PDB file of all heavy atoms in Angstrom:
ATOM      1  N   VAL N   1     -16.962  -6.725  -6.211  1.00  0.00           N
ATOM      2  CA  VAL N   1     -16.497  -7.783  -7.106  1.00  0.00           C
ATOM      3  C   VAL N   1     -15.056  -7.566  -7.551  1.00  0.00           C
ATOM      4  O   VAL N   1     -14.264  -8.515  -7.609  1.00  0.00           O
ATOM      5  CB  VAL N   1     -17.427  -7.885  -8.341  1.00  0.00           C
ATOM      6  CG1 VAL N   1     -16.884  -8.882  -9.346  1.00  0.00           C
ATOM      7  CG2 VAL N   1     -18.827  -8.278  -7.901  1.00  0.00           C
ATOM      8  N   ALA N   2     -14.684  -6.317  -7.875  1.00  0.00           N
ATOM      9  CA  ALA N   2     -13.382  -6.103  -8.509  1.00  0.00           C
ATOM     10  C   ALA N   2     -12.430  -5.223  -7.705  1.00  0.00           C
ATOM     11  O   ALA N   2     -11.281  -5.610  -7.467  1.00  0.00           O
ATOM     12  CB  ALA N   2     -13.599  -5.489  -9.902  1.00  0.00           C
ATOM     13  N   ALA N   3     -12.876  -4.049  -7.295  1.00  0.00           N
ATOM     14  CA  ALA N   3     -11.949  -3.071  -6.702  1.00  0.00           C
ATOM     15  C   ALA N   3     -11.299  -3.593  -5.431  1.00  0.00           C
ATOM     16  O   ALA N   3     -10.108  -3.359  -5.184  1.00  0.00           O
ATOM     17  CB  ALA N   3     -12.689  -1.768  -6.424  1.00  0.00           C
ATOM     18  N   GLU N   4     -12.059  -4.309  -4.609  1.00  0.00           N
ATOM     19  CA  GLU N   4     -11.505  -4.815  -3.353  1.00  0.00           C
ATOM     20  C   GLU N   4     -10.322  -5.742  -3.599  1.00  0.00           C
ATOM     21  O   GLU N   4      -9.339  -5.733  -2.856  1.00  0.00           O
ATOM     22  CB  GLU N   4     -12.607  -5.552  -2.581  1.00  0.00           C
ATOM     23  CG  GLU N   4     -12.585  -5.266  -1.096  1.00  0.00           C
ATOM     24  CD  GLU N   4     -13.765  -5.872  -0.365  1.00  0.00           C
ATOM     25  OE1 GLU N   4     -14.597  -6.532  -1.012  1.00  0.00           O
ATOM     26  OE2 GLU N   4     -13.840  -5.687   0.852  1.00  0.00           O
ATOM     27  N   ARG N   5     -10.394  -6.544  -4.656  1.00  0.00           N
ATOM     28  CA  ARG N   5      -9.298  -7.469  -4.968  1.00  0.00           C
ATOM     29  C   ARG N   5      -8.082  -6.738  -5.529  1.00  0.00           C
ATOM     30  O   ARG N   5      -6.945  -7.148  -5.296  1.00  0.00           O
ATOM     31  CB  ARG N   5      -9.792  -8.520  -5.965  1.00  0.00           C
ATOM     32  CG  ARG N   5     -10.911  -9.394  -5.431  1.00  0.00           C
ATOM     33  CD  ARG N   5     -11.358 -10.428  -6.442  1.00  0.00           C
ATOM     34  NE  ARG N   5     -12.460 -11.237  -5.941  1.00  0.00           N
ATOM     35  CZ  ARG N   5     -13.046 -12.201  -6.625  1.00  0.00           C
ATOM     36  NH1 ARG N   5     -12.623 -12.480  -7.866  1.00  0.00           N
ATOM     37  NH2 ARG N   5     -14.047 -12.891  -6.088  1.00  0.00           N
ATOM     38  N   VAL N   6      -8.329  -5.672  -6.269  1.00  0.00           N
ATOM     39  CA  VAL N   6      -7.203  -4.930  -6.851  1.00  0.00           C
ATOM     40  C   VAL N   6      -6.337  -4.316  -5.766  1.00  0.00           C
ATOM     41  O   VAL N   6      -5.110  -4.288  -5.866  1.00  0.00           O
ATOM     42  CB  VAL N   6      -7.734  -3.843  -7.809  1.00  0.00           C
ATOM     43  CG1 VAL N   6      -6.591  -2.948  -8.299  1.00  0.00           C
ATOM     44  CG2 VAL N   6      -8.444  -4.482  -8.994  1.00  0.00           C
ATOM     45  N   TRP N   7      -6.959  -3.838  -4.691  1.00  0.00           N
ATOM     46  CA  TRP N   7      -6.199  -3.193  -3.611  1.00  0.00           C
ATOM     47  C   TRP N   7      -5.844  -4.152  -2.482  1.00  0.00           C
ATOM     48  O   TRP N   7      -5.323  -3.721  -1.459  1.00  0.00           O
ATOM     49  CB  TRP N   7      -6.998  -2.020  -3.049  1.00  0.00           C
ATOM     50  CG  TRP N   7      -6.707  -0.719  -3.715  1.00  0.00           C
ATOM     51  CD1 TRP N   7      -5.786   0.219  -3.333  1.00  0.00           C
ATOM     52  CD2 TRP N   7      -7.331  -0.192  -4.890  1.00  0.00           C
ATOM     53  NE1 TRP N   7      -5.801   1.278  -4.191  1.00  0.00           N
ATOM     54  CE2 TRP N   7      -6.744   1.065  -5.160  1.00  0.00           C
ATOM     55  CE3 TRP N   7      -8.316  -0.658  -5.751  1.00  0.00           C
ATOM     56  CZ2 TRP N   7      -7.118   1.851  -6.241  1.00  0.00           C
ATOM     57  CZ3 TRP N   7      -8.693   0.115  -6.830  1.00  0.00           C
ATOM     58  CH2 TRP N   7      -8.103   1.347  -7.060  1.00  0.00           C
ATOM     59  N   SER N   8      -6.105  -5.440  -2.633  1.00  0.00           N
ATOM     60  CA  SER N   8      -5.838  -6.370  -1.538  1.00  0.00           C
ATOM     61  C   SER N   8      -4.353  -6.577  -1.285  1.00  0.00           C
ATOM     62  O   SER N   8      -3.955  -6.948  -0.180  1.00  0.00           O
ATOM     63  CB  SER N   8      -6.506  -7.723  -1.834  1.00  0.00           C
ATOM     64  OG  SER N   8      -5.960  -8.284  -3.033  1.00  0.00           O
ATOM     65  N   ASP N   9      -3.520  -6.352  -2.290  1.00  0.00           N
ATOM     66  CA  ASP N   9      -2.080  -6.601  -2.149  1.00  0.00           C
ATOM     67  C   ASP N   9      -1.266  -5.311  -2.227  1.00  0.00           C
ATOM     68  O   ASP N   9      -0.074  -5.359  -2.536  1.00  0.00           O
ATOM     69  CB  ASP N   9      -1.605  -7.566  -3.238  1.00  0.00           C
ATOM     70  CG  ASP N   9      -1.884  -7.026  -4.642  1.00  0.00           C
ATOM     71  OD1 ASP N   9      -2.560  -5.987  -4.755  1.00  0.00           O
ATOM     72  OD2 ASP N   9      -1.416  -7.641  -5.622  1.00  0.00           O
ATOM     73  N   ASP N  10      -1.896  -4.159  -1.957  1.00  0.00           N
ATOM     74  CA  ASP N  10      -1.190  -2.894  -2.166  1.00  0.00           C
ATOM     75  C   ASP N  10       0.019  -2.729  -1.249  1.00  0.00           C
ATOM     76  O   ASP N  10       1.084  -2.309  -1.693  1.00  0.00           O
ATOM     77  CB  ASP N  10      -2.147  -1.705  -2.007  1.00  0.00           C
ATOM     78  CG  ASP N  10      -2.923  -1.753  -0.701  1.00  0.00           C
ATOM     79  OD1 ASP N  10      -2.784  -2.757   0.024  1.00  0.00           O
ATOM     80  OD2 ASP N  10      -3.649  -0.794  -0.417  1.00  0.00           O
ATOM     81  N   GLN N  11      -0.095  -3.103   0.028  1.00  0.00           N
ATOM     82  CA  GLN N  11       1.057  -2.964   0.924  1.00  0.00           C
ATOM     83  C   GLN N  11       2.047  -4.103   0.748  1.00  0.00           C
ATOM     84  O   GLN N  11       3.261  -3.895   0.811  1.00  0.00           O
ATOM     85  CB  GLN N  11       0.592  -2.891   2.378  1.00  0.00           C
ATOM     86  CG  GLN N  11       1.742  -2.607   3.349  1.00  0.00           C
ATOM     87  CD  GLN N  11       1.257  -2.308   4.747  1.00  0.00           C
ATOM     88  OE1 GLN N  11       0.068  -2.433   5.030  1.00  0.00           O
ATOM     89  NE2 GLN N  11       2.168  -1.917   5.621  1.00  0.00           N
ATOM     90  N   LYS N  12       1.556  -5.300   0.498  1.00  0.00           N
ATOM     91  CA  LYS N  12       2.450  -6.456   0.356  1.00  0.00           C
ATOM     92  C   LYS N  12       3.380  -6.291  -0.840  1.00  0.00           C
ATOM     93  O   LYS N  12       4.558  -6.662  -0.785  1.00  0.00           O
ATOM     94  CB  LYS N  12       1.613  -7.725   0.208  1.00  0.00           C
ATOM     95  CG  LYS N  12       2.436  -9.000   0.085  1.00  0.00           C
ATOM     96  CD  LYS N  12       1.538 -10.202  -0.071  1.00  0.00           C
ATOM     97  CE  LYS N  12       0.812 -10.163  -1.417  1.00  0.00           C
ATOM     98  NZ  LYS N  12       0.007 -11.399  -1.654  1.00  0.00           N
ATOM     99  N   ASP N  13       2.871  -5.723  -1.944  1.00  0.00           N
ATOM    100  CA  ASP N  13       3.663  -5.570  -3.165  1.00  0.00           C
ATOM    101  C   ASP N  13       4.212  -4.165  -3.355  1.00  0.00           C
ATOM    102  O   ASP N  13       4.599  -3.789  -4.458  1.00  0.00           O
ATOM    103  CB  ASP N  13       2.803  -5.940  -4.389  1.00  0.00           C
ATOM    104  CG  ASP N  13       2.448  -7.420  -4.397  1.00  0.00           C
ATOM    105  OD1 ASP N  13       3.160  -8.187  -3.726  1.00  0.00           O
ATOM    106  OD2 ASP N  13       1.453  -7.794  -5.047  1.00  0.00           O
ATOM    107  N   PHE N  14       4.243  -3.379  -2.288  1.00  0.00           N
ATOM    108  CA  PHE N  14       4.870  -2.062  -2.334  1.00  0.00           C
ATOM    109  C   PHE N  14       6.359  -2.252  -2.053  1.00  0.00           C
ATOM    110  O   PHE N  14       6.788  -2.415  -0.915  1.00  0.00           O
ATOM    111  CB  PHE N  14       4.225  -1.140  -1.292  1.00  0.00           C
ATOM    112  CG  PHE N  14       4.732   0.273  -1.313  1.00  0.00           C
ATOM    113  CD1 PHE N  14       4.266   1.189  -2.246  1.00  0.00           C
ATOM    114  CD2 PHE N  14       5.671   0.695  -0.380  1.00  0.00           C
ATOM    115  CE1 PHE N  14       4.719   2.501  -2.255  1.00  0.00           C
ATOM    116  CE2 PHE N  14       6.132   2.004  -0.374  1.00  0.00           C
ATOM    117  CZ  PHE N  14       5.657   2.902  -1.317  1.00  0.00           C
ATOM    118  N   ASP N  15       7.170  -2.262  -3.098  1.00  0.00           N
ATOM    119  CA  ASP N  15       8.589  -2.589  -2.980  1.00  0.00           C
ATOM    120  C   ASP N  15       9.445  -1.333  -3.043  1.00  0.00           C
ATOM    121  O   ASP N  15       9.226  -0.457  -3.885  1.00  0.00           O
ATOM    122  CB  ASP N  15       9.021  -3.533  -4.106  1.00  0.00           C
ATOM    123  CG  ASP N  15       8.343  -4.889  -3.988  1.00  0.00           C
ATOM    124  OD1 ASP N  15       8.091  -5.319  -2.842  1.00  0.00           O
ATOM    125  OD2 ASP N  15       8.064  -5.503  -5.031  1.00  0.00           O
ATOM    126  N   CYS N  16      10.436  -1.268  -2.153  1.00  0.00           N
ATOM    127  CA  CYS N  16      11.430  -0.191  -2.165  1.00  0.00           C
ATOM    128  C   CYS N  16      12.809  -0.819  -2.369  1.00  0.00           C
ATOM    129  O   CYS N  16      13.066  -1.931  -1.893  1.00  0.00           O
ATOM    130  CB  CYS N  16      11.398   0.595  -0.857  1.00  0.00           C
ATOM    131  SG  CYS N  16       9.827   1.450  -0.539  1.00  0.00           S
ATOM    132  N   ASN N  17      13.681  -0.087  -3.065  1.00  0.00           N
ATOM    133  CA  ASN N  17      15.005  -0.639  -3.386  1.00  0.00           C
ATOM    134  C   ASN N  17      15.976  -0.466  -2.218  1.00  0.00           C
ATOM    135  O   ASN N  17      17.051   0.126  -2.347  1.00  0.00           O
ATOM    136  CB  ASN N  17      15.569  -0.007  -4.661  1.00  0.00           C
ATOM    137  CG  ASN N  17      15.689   1.504  -4.541  1.00  0.00           C
ATOM    138  OD1 ASN N  17      15.247   2.090  -3.553  1.00  0.00           O
ATOM    139  ND2 ASN N  17      16.275   2.129  -5.554  1.00  0.00           N
ATOM    140  N   THR N  18      15.555  -0.941  -1.057  1.00  0.00           N
ATOM    141  CA  THR N  18      16.401  -0.948   0.132  1.00  0.00           C
ATOM    142  C   THR N  18      15.918  -2.051   1.059  1.00  0.00           C
ATOM    143  O   THR N  18      14.733  -2.415   1.038  1.00  0.00           O
ATOM    144  CB  THR N  18      16.348   0.402   0.867  1.00  0.00           C
ATOM    145  OG1 THR N  18      17.183   0.337   2.033  1.00  0.00           O
ATOM    146  CG2 THR N  18      14.931   0.734   1.303  1.00  0.00           C
ATOM    147  N   ARG N  19      16.809  -2.575   1.864  1.00  0.00           N
ATOM    148  CA  ARG N  19      16.453  -3.589   2.848  1.00  0.00           C
ATOM    149  C   ARG N  19      16.431  -3.018   4.256  1.00  0.00           C
ATOM    150  O   ARG N  19      16.361  -3.767   5.236  1.00  0.00           O
ATOM    151  CB  ARG N  19      17.439  -4.764   2.779  1.00  0.00           C
ATOM    152  CG  ARG N  19      17.357  -5.546   1.465  1.00  0.00           C
ATOM    153  CD  ARG N  19      18.239  -6.773   1.498  1.00  0.00           C
ATOM    154  NE  ARG N  19      18.125  -7.562   0.273  1.00  0.00           N
ATOM    155  CZ  ARG N  19      17.193  -8.471   0.052  1.00  0.00           C
ATOM    156  NH1 ARG N  19      16.283  -8.697   0.990  1.00  0.00           N
ATOM    157  NH2 ARG N  19      17.161  -9.142  -1.085  1.00  0.00           N
ATOM    158  N   GLN N  20      16.486  -1.693   4.368  1.00  0.00           N
ATOM    159  CA  GLN N  20      16.451  -1.063   5.682  1.00  0.00           C
ATOM    160  C   GLN N  20      15.120  -1.377   6.370  1.00  0.00           C
ATOM    161  O   GLN N  20      14.057  -1.096   5.822  1.00  0.00           O
ATOM    162  CB  GLN N  20      16.605   0.453   5.541  1.00  0.00           C
ATOM    163  CG  GLN N  20      16.526   1.228   6.842  1.00  0.00           C
ATOM    164  CD  GLN N  20      17.697   0.935   7.773  1.00  0.00           C
ATOM    165  OE1 GLN N  20      18.815   0.669   7.304  1.00  0.00           O
ATOM    166  NE2 GLN N  20      17.450   0.970   9.061  1.00  0.00           N
ATOM    167  N   PRO N  21      15.131  -1.992   7.559  1.00  0.00           N
ATOM    168  CA  PRO N  21      13.875  -2.340   8.247  1.00  0.00           C
ATOM    169  C   PRO N  21      13.031  -1.097   8.528  1.00  0.00           C
ATOM    170  O   PRO N  21      13.536  -0.074   9.004  1.00  0.00           O
ATOM    171  CB  PRO N  21      14.351  -2.992   9.559  1.00  0.00           C
ATOM    172  CG  PRO N  21      15.741  -3.462   9.265  1.00  0.00           C
ATOM    173  CD  PRO N  21      16.308  -2.472   8.300  1.00  0.00           C
ATOM    174  N   GLY N  22      11.762  -1.177   8.215  1.00  0.00           N
ATOM    175  CA  GLY N  22      10.829  -0.083   8.495  1.00  0.00           C
ATOM    176  C   GLY N  22      10.706   0.933   7.394  1.00  0.00           C
ATOM    177  O   GLY N  22       9.749   1.720   7.388  1.00  0.00           O
ATOM    178  N   CYS N  23      11.627   0.973   6.447  1.00  0.00           N
ATOM    179  CA  CYS N  23      11.600   1.994   5.401  1.00  0.00           C
ATOM    180  C   CYS N  23      10.366   1.834   4.514  1.00  0.00           C
ATOM    181  O   CYS N  23       9.654   2.813   4.237  1.00  0.00           O
ATOM    182  CB  CYS N  23      12.879   1.923   4.567  1.00  0.00           C
ATOM    183  SG  CYS N  23      12.938   3.138   3.220  1.00  0.00           S
ATOM    184  N   SER N  24      10.084   0.625   4.085  1.00  0.00           N
ATOM    185  CA  SER N  24       8.934   0.402   3.207  1.00  0.00           C
ATOM    186  C   SER N  24       7.625   0.746   3.906  1.00  0.00           C
ATOM    187  O   SER N  24       6.716   1.352   3.299  1.00  0.00           O
ATOM    188  CB  SER N  24       8.902  -1.058   2.742  1.00  0.00           C
ATOM    189  OG  SER N  24      10.044  -1.369   1.970  1.00  0.00           O
ATOM    190  N   ASN N  25       7.518   0.397   5.184  1.00  0.00           N
ATOM    191  CA  ASN N  25       6.289   0.689   5.925  1.00  0.00           C
ATOM    192  C   ASN N  25       6.066   2.192   6.072  1.00  0.00           C
ATOM    193  O   ASN N  25       4.941   2.690   5.918  1.00  0.00           O
ATOM    194  CB  ASN N  25       6.331   0.041   7.310  1.00  0.00           C
ATOM    195  CG  ASN N  25       6.244  -1.469   7.250  1.00  0.00           C
ATOM    196  OD1 ASN N  25       5.728  -2.023   6.291  1.00  0.00           O
ATOM    197  ND2 ASN N  25       6.760  -2.132   8.276  1.00  0.00           N
ATOM    198  N   VAL N  26       7.125   2.922   6.375  1.00  0.00           N
ATOM    199  CA  VAL N  26       7.007   4.377   6.547  1.00  0.00           C
ATOM    200  C   VAL N  26       6.650   5.044   5.229  1.00  0.00           C
ATOM    201  O   VAL N  26       5.791   5.933   5.176  1.00  0.00           O
ATOM    202  CB  VAL N  26       8.318   4.949   7.122  1.00  0.00           C
ATOM    203  CG1 VAL N  26       8.305   6.467   7.069  1.00  0.00           C
ATOM    204  CG2 VAL N  26       8.522   4.480   8.554  1.00  0.00           C
ATOM    205  N   CYS N  27       7.306   4.629   4.155  1.00  0.00           N
ATOM    206  CA  CYS N  27       7.026   5.225   2.848  1.00  0.00           C
ATOM    207  C   CYS N  27       5.603   4.898   2.389  1.00  0.00           C
ATOM    208  O   CYS N  27       4.916   5.756   1.818  1.00  0.00           O
ATOM    209  CB  CYS N  27       8.042   4.734   1.821  1.00  0.00           C
ATOM    210  SG  CYS N  27       9.738   5.306   2.137  1.00  0.00           S
ATOM    211  N   PHE N  28       5.165   3.668   2.638  1.00  0.00           N
ATOM    212  CA  PHE N  28       3.802   3.299   2.247  1.00  0.00           C
ATOM    213  C   PHE N  28       2.772   4.131   3.011  1.00  0.00           C
ATOM    214  O   PHE N  28       1.793   4.608   2.433  1.00  0.00           O
ATOM    215  CB  PHE N  28       3.572   1.806   2.513  1.00  0.00           C
ATOM    216  CG  PHE N  28       2.201   1.334   2.134  1.00  0.00           C
ATOM    217  CD1 PHE N  28       1.925   0.965   0.819  1.00  0.00           C
ATOM    218  CD2 PHE N  28       1.183   1.266   3.080  1.00  0.00           C
ATOM    219  CE1 PHE N  28       0.653   0.537   0.459  1.00  0.00           C
ATOM    220  CE2 PHE N  28      -0.083   0.840   2.719  1.00  0.00           C
ATOM    221  CZ  PHE N  28      -0.349   0.480   1.407  1.00  0.00           C
ATOM    222  N   ASP N  29       3.007   4.324   4.304  1.00  0.00           N
ATOM    223  CA  ASP N  29       2.083   5.118   5.105  1.00  0.00           C
ATOM    224  C   ASP N  29       2.067   6.579   4.645  1.00  0.00           C
ATOM    225  O   ASP N  29       1.037   7.244   4.713  1.00  0.00           O
ATOM    226  CB  ASP N  29       2.484   5.035   6.581  1.00  0.00           C
ATOM    227  CG  ASP N  29       1.526   5.806   7.477  1.00  0.00           C
ATOM    228  OD1 ASP N  29       0.360   5.387   7.592  1.00  0.00           O
ATOM    229  OD2 ASP N  29       1.938   6.835   8.041  1.00  0.00           O
ATOM    230  N   HIS N  30       3.201   7.062   4.160  1.00  0.00           N
ATOM    231  CA  HIS N  30       3.282   8.457   3.700  1.00  0.00           C
ATOM    232  C   HIS N  30       2.515   8.649   2.395  1.00  0.00           C
ATOM    233  O   HIS N  30       1.773   9.637   2.243  1.00  0.00           O
ATOM    234  CB  HIS N  30       4.745   8.856   3.506  1.00  0.00           C
ATOM    235  CG  HIS N  30       4.922  10.240   2.961  1.00  0.00           C
ATOM    236  ND1 HIS N  30       4.668  11.372   3.700  1.00  0.00           N
ATOM    237  CD2 HIS N  30       5.318  10.671   1.725  1.00  0.00           C
ATOM    238  CE1 HIS N  30       4.903  12.437   2.970  1.00  0.00           C
ATOM    239  NE2 HIS N  30       5.298  12.046   1.768  1.00  0.00           N
ATOM    240  N   PHE N  31       2.662   7.747   1.457  1.00  0.00           N
ATOM    241  CA  PHE N  31       2.029   7.900   0.148  1.00  0.00           C
ATOM    242  C   PHE N  31       0.599   7.354   0.117  1.00  0.00           C
ATOM    243  O   PHE N  31      -0.173   7.725  -0.764  1.00  0.00           O
ATOM    244  CB  PHE N  31       2.875   7.205  -0.930  1.00  0.00           C
ATOM    245  CG  PHE N  31       4.174   7.901  -1.207  1.00  0.00           C
ATOM    246  CD1 PHE N  31       5.377   7.361  -0.763  1.00  0.00           C
ATOM    247  CD2 PHE N  31       4.200   9.104  -1.876  1.00  0.00           C
ATOM    248  CE1 PHE N  31       6.580   8.013  -1.005  1.00  0.00           C
ATOM    249  CE2 PHE N  31       5.387   9.763  -2.123  1.00  0.00           C
ATOM    250  CZ  PHE N  31       6.584   9.213  -1.686  1.00  0.00           C
ATOM    251  N   PHE N  32       0.239   6.465   1.061  1.00  0.00           N
ATOM    252  CA  PHE N  32      -1.113   5.937   1.154  1.00  0.00           C
ATOM    253  C   PHE N  32      -1.643   6.148   2.569  1.00  0.00           C
ATOM    254  O   PHE N  32      -1.790   5.194   3.331  1.00  0.00           O
ATOM    255  CB  PHE N  32      -1.146   4.441   0.801  1.00  0.00           C
ATOM    256  CG  PHE N  32      -0.786   4.137  -0.621  1.00  0.00           C
ATOM    257  CD1 PHE N  32       0.530   3.875  -0.977  1.00  0.00           C
ATOM    258  CD2 PHE N  32      -1.757   4.121  -1.611  1.00  0.00           C
ATOM    259  CE1 PHE N  32       0.868   3.598  -2.290  1.00  0.00           C
ATOM    260  CE2 PHE N  32      -1.432   3.844  -2.927  1.00  0.00           C
ATOM    261  CZ  PHE N  32      -0.119   3.583  -3.269  1.00  0.00           C
ATOM    262  N   PRO N  33      -1.910   7.405   2.962  1.00  0.00           N
ATOM    263  CA  PRO N  33      -2.384   7.645   4.334  1.00  0.00           C
ATOM    264  C   PRO N  33      -3.697   6.935   4.633  1.00  0.00           C
ATOM    265  O   PRO N  33      -3.920   6.481   5.755  1.00  0.00           O
ATOM    266  CB  PRO N  33      -2.553   9.172   4.387  1.00  0.00           C
ATOM    267  CG  PRO N  33      -2.658   9.604   2.952  1.00  0.00           C
ATOM    268  CD  PRO N  33      -1.838   8.637   2.162  1.00  0.00           C
ATOM    269  N   VAL N  34      -4.586   6.867   3.637  1.00  0.00           N
ATOM    270  CA  VAL N  34      -5.835   6.111   3.760  1.00  0.00           C
ATOM    271  C   VAL N  34      -6.036   5.341   2.463  1.00  0.00           C
ATOM    272  O   VAL N  34      -5.911   5.901   1.373  1.00  0.00           O
ATOM    273  CB  VAL N  34      -7.043   7.038   4.009  1.00  0.00           C
ATOM    274  CG1 VAL N  34      -8.312   6.202   4.201  1.00  0.00           C
ATOM    275  CG2 VAL N  34      -6.828   7.912   5.229  1.00  0.00           C
ATOM    276  N   SER N  35      -6.355   4.071   2.590  1.00  0.00           N
ATOM    277  CA  SER N  35      -6.537   3.237   1.403  1.00  0.00           C
ATOM    278  C   SER N  35      -7.761   3.682   0.604  1.00  0.00           C
ATOM    279  O   SER N  35      -8.779   4.091   1.171  1.00  0.00           O
ATOM    280  CB  SER N  35      -6.688   1.776   1.823  1.00  0.00           C
ATOM    281  OG  SER N  35      -7.042   0.969   0.719  1.00  0.00           O
ATOM    282  N   HIS N  36      -7.647   3.596  -0.722  1.00  0.00           N
ATOM    283  CA  HIS N  36      -8.788   3.887  -1.588  1.00  0.00           C
ATOM    284  C   HIS N  36     -10.006   3.066  -1.175  1.00  0.00           C
ATOM    285  O   HIS N  36     -11.127   3.578  -1.113  1.00  0.00           O
ATOM    286  CB  HIS N  36      -8.438   3.533  -3.043  1.00  0.00           C
ATOM    287  CG  HIS N  36      -7.497   4.479  -3.705  1.00  0.00           C
ATOM    288  ND1 HIS N  36      -6.194   4.616  -3.311  1.00  0.00           N
ATOM    289  CD2 HIS N  36      -7.680   5.351  -4.746  1.00  0.00           C
ATOM    290  CE1 HIS N  36      -5.587   5.502  -4.094  1.00  0.00           C
ATOM    291  NE2 HIS N  36      -6.470   5.970  -4.964  1.00  0.00           N
ATOM    292  N   ILE N  37      -9.774   1.799  -0.914  1.00  0.00           N
ATOM    293  CA  ILE N  37     -10.874   0.879  -0.683  1.00  0.00           C
ATOM    294  C   ILE N  37     -11.624   1.226   0.592  1.00  0.00           C
ATOM    295  O   ILE N  37     -12.857   1.096   0.669  1.00  0.00           O
ATOM    296  CB  ILE N  37     -10.337  -0.579  -0.662  1.00  0.00           C
ATOM    297  CG1 ILE N  37     -11.396  -1.540  -1.202  1.00  0.00           C
ATOM    298  CG2 ILE N  37      -9.868  -1.002   0.682  1.00  0.00           C
ATOM    299  CD1 ILE N  37     -11.632  -1.411  -2.675  1.00  0.00           C
ATOM    300  N   ARG N  38     -10.913   1.693   1.627  1.00  0.00           N
ATOM    301  CA  ARG N  38     -11.576   2.064   2.880  1.00  0.00           C
ATOM    302  C   ARG N  38     -12.316   3.393   2.728  1.00  0.00           C
ATOM    303  O   ARG N  38     -13.402   3.575   3.294  1.00  0.00           O
ATOM    304  CB  ARG N  38     -10.553   2.133   4.004  1.00  0.00           C
ATOM    305  CG  ARG N  38      -9.997   0.764   4.385  1.00  0.00           C
ATOM    306  CD  ARG N  38      -8.940   0.845   5.467  1.00  0.00           C
ATOM    307  NE  ARG N  38      -8.453  -0.479   5.813  1.00  0.00           N
ATOM    308  CZ  ARG N  38      -7.498  -1.123   5.170  1.00  0.00           C
ATOM    309  NH1 ARG N  38      -6.917  -0.560   4.121  1.00  0.00           N
ATOM    310  NH2 ARG N  38      -7.113  -2.326   5.546  1.00  0.00           N
ATOM    311  N   LEU N  39     -11.751   4.310   1.977  1.00  0.00           N
ATOM    312  CA  LEU N  39     -12.454   5.564   1.707  1.00  0.00           C
ATOM    313  C   LEU N  39     -13.728   5.321   0.917  1.00  0.00           C
ATOM    314  O   LEU N  39     -14.779   5.919   1.188  1.00  0.00           O
ATOM    315  CB  LEU N  39     -11.536   6.529   0.948  1.00  0.00           C
ATOM    316  CG  LEU N  39     -10.540   7.337   1.782  1.00  0.00           C
ATOM    317  CD1 LEU N  39      -9.638   8.157   0.863  1.00  0.00           C
ATOM    318  CD2 LEU N  39     -11.273   8.266   2.746  1.00  0.00           C
ATOM    319  N   TRP N  40     -13.660   4.443  -0.088  1.00  0.00           N
ATOM    320  CA  TRP N  40     -14.854   4.124  -0.874  1.00  0.00           C
ATOM    321  C   TRP N  40     -15.912   3.452  -0.012  1.00  0.00           C
ATOM    322  O   TRP N  40     -17.112   3.711  -0.178  1.00  0.00           O
ATOM    323  CB  TRP N  40     -14.489   3.230  -2.056  1.00  0.00           C
ATOM    324  CG  TRP N  40     -13.875   3.978  -3.186  1.00  0.00           C
ATOM    325  CD1 TRP N  40     -14.089   5.280  -3.528  1.00  0.00           C
ATOM    326  CD2 TRP N  40     -12.930   3.471  -4.135  1.00  0.00           C
ATOM    327  NE1 TRP N  40     -13.330   5.629  -4.625  1.00  0.00           N
ATOM    328  CE2 TRP N  40     -12.616   4.530  -5.019  1.00  0.00           C
ATOM    329  CE3 TRP N  40     -12.317   2.244  -4.321  1.00  0.00           C
ATOM    330  CZ2 TRP N  40     -11.722   4.384  -6.077  1.00  0.00           C
ATOM    331  CZ3 TRP N  40     -11.423   2.096  -5.369  1.00  0.00           C
ATOM    332  CH2 TRP N  40     -11.133   3.158  -6.239  1.00  0.00           C
TER     333      TRP N  40
END
């Protein structure tokens, strides 16, 4: 009911203060190797 919706936008709203292509994706993968929701 709740947790799945909270993590539904985790990658989309993971913002980095740079426009370098690929930087946000690499950093997100580093800090979130496996999503909470998939582990649960």
